[in-house]
Amino acid sequence: MSHPPGVVLSGGGANGAYEIGVLKALFRGESPATGHQPLEPGVIAATSIGAFNSAVLLSTYTDSWSQAISALEKVWLERIHLYHPESDFGGALGMLDFQRERVTSLIQRGYLDTVGHDCGEAGCIGV
């Protein structure tokens, strides 16, 4: 019996933006790690900013992971970069005080690293 793949998303502020690029490539079937087939995860495990990303993904997923990752990217590009540590969050999200250009750069880097990296027969699906 074959089990569907899982995705593990880590913590660490900037990793959250990078994960979007990686997931974009995996969910759209643009990565050699999945044989250029769209990834259909059966489970997502996450911590910290990865848990935030997974919550947005799962709350926007209907029948397309590609659409869910687009929704998550939109949140990062239109909302997270607006955060300032002086706000009512009390600094809890201070590591997310990115400029839009930095967020865009991290997303693109995650995508390009995933699309351009051949993981060989062993695979490297972890994010």
Side-chain angles (χ1 to χ4, degrees):
M1 179 173 164
S2 178
H3 296 283
V7 171
V8 177
L9 302 175
S10 69
N15 289 334
Y18 185 86
E19 289 170 351
I20 295 168
V22 173
L23 292 171
K24 244 167 104 169
L26 294 172
F27 290 161
R28 294 179 180 171
E30 298 171 349
S31 172
T34 60
H36 296 282
Q37 297 296 313
L39 180 68
E40 293 285 334
V43 65
I44 298 176
T47 188
S48 194
I49 195 64
F52 171 84
N53 282 347
S54 67
V56 174
L57 278 172
L58 294 170
S59 68
T60 58
Y61 177 84
T62 52
D63 62 350
S64 168
W65 287 108
S66 183
Q67 289 177 354
I69 196 65
S70 292
L72 176 59
E73 182 175 25
K74 183 176 180 180
V75 167
W76 273 82
L77 294 175
E78 295 180 6
R79 303 297 241 137
I80 289 183
H81 82 280
L82 298 175
Y83 168 78
H84 296 288
E86 299 82 30
S87 74
D88 293 336
F89 291 109
L93 298 176
M95 67 186 75
L96 300 179
D97 188 19
F98 295 128
Q99 296 176 349
R100 183 182 176 98
E101 295 78 26
R102 178 75 172 136
V103 170
T104 301
S105 174
L106 286 165
I107 292 170
Q108 289 173 343
R109 179 63 192 218
Y111 177 82
L112 293 173
D113 283 354
T114 305
V115 171
H117 181 67
D118 186 357
C119 299
E121 291 180 28
C124 60
I125 293 177
V127 177

